[in-house]
Amino acid sequence: QVQLVQSAAEVKKPGASVKVSCKASGYTFSTYGITWVRQAPGQGLEWMGWISAYNGDTNYAQKLQGRVTMTADTSTSTAYMELRSLRSDDTAVYYCARVYRIAARPVPGWFDPWGQGTLVTVSS
Amino acid sequence: DIQMTQSPSTLSASVGDSVTITCRASQSISSWLAWYQQKPGKAPKLLIYKASSLESGVPSRFSGSGSGTEFTLTISSLQPDDFATYYCQQYNSYPLTFGGGTKVEIK
């Protein structure tokens, strides 16, 4: 079955970087994209960006531009999300999800399935 | 950015009730809308895509409708497993955006 398994929880100090991994199985990794969504404690869902596993194209949320990098390693079917210059308001659960492409549309589609989430805590 | 506004933010209902959640987009998104269910401590789960297409394996008591700027998610006969938070998400244009969520509670 299609499954995304994320790396373990992390605790970081302000100003540090974190890199979260998302290992895919059960499908051909390069034929879909991977998106990243975060959820601060008690809050809603925030889209961070996505990467095409086919050609490595990315699109990031403007508020994270310059601090986030998403990559995909097709040899290991693993996607990565690195967030730099961490602040306390980056404390959140970070989710990866497989994203459907829709023919002839530049914008990716819906997200299914999702990884189990990775808690990143930023605290001094 | 397209703003997605869900209402109500909280809904109290009983098992067997029919409930409807509304999602409004700040501009037309055609039918490029998905609905997700999230339970506490768990990842979201896809219910509906393209406004009204039911994801495989999702019970038929869930249905979605709408196009343009107004959309609804209906649960026809609420079951104990349905008490959760529901989110809409537009994928018409960047940045992809979510509604603020609707928590369905037990009355």
Side-chain angles (χ1 to χ4, degrees), chain B residues 33-52:
Chain B
L33 184 99
W35 289 97
Y36 302 89
Q37 175 194 66
Q38 186 180 33
K39 297 180 180 179
K42 299 295 186 182
K45 173 189 171 185
L46 176 71
L47 299 175
I48 302 278
Y49 60 96
K50 207 176 178 186
S52 61

Side-chain angles (χ1 to χ4, degrees), chain B residues 4-9 21-24 35-36 85-89 98-103:
Chain B
M4 305 300 292
T5 303
Q6 285 184 235
S7 60
S9 55
I21 298 167
T22 298
C23 178
R24 290 186 173 86
W35 289 97
Y36 302 89
T85 300
Y86 294 84
Y87 294 93
C88 61
Q89 176 235 329
F98 290 90
T102 295
K103 184 176 183 180

Side-chain angles (χ1 to χ4, degrees), chain A residues 1-4 24-34 77 98 113:
Chain A
Q1 76 284 17
V2 176
Q3 194 173 9
L4 300 176
S25 60
Y27 72 98
T28 303
F29 183 68
S30 60
T31 60
Y32 292 83
I34 294 288
S77 298
R98 185 176 68 169

Side-chain angles (χ1 to χ4, degrees), chain B residues 19 26 47-48 54 60 69 71 90 97:
Chain B
V19 301
S26 60
L47 299 175
I48 302 278
L54 190 68
S60 58
T69 61
F71 302 85
Q90 67 82 17
T97 47

Side-chain angles (χ1 to χ4, degrees), chain A residues 31-33 50 52 54-55 57 99-110, chain B residues 94:
Chain A
T31 60
Y32 292 83
W50 82 290
S52 165
Y54 173 69
N55 59 13
D57 285 351
V99 60
Y100 280 73
R101 294 302 310 274
I102 303 165
R105 295 200 78 235
V107 182
W110 57 94
Chain B
Y94 290 122

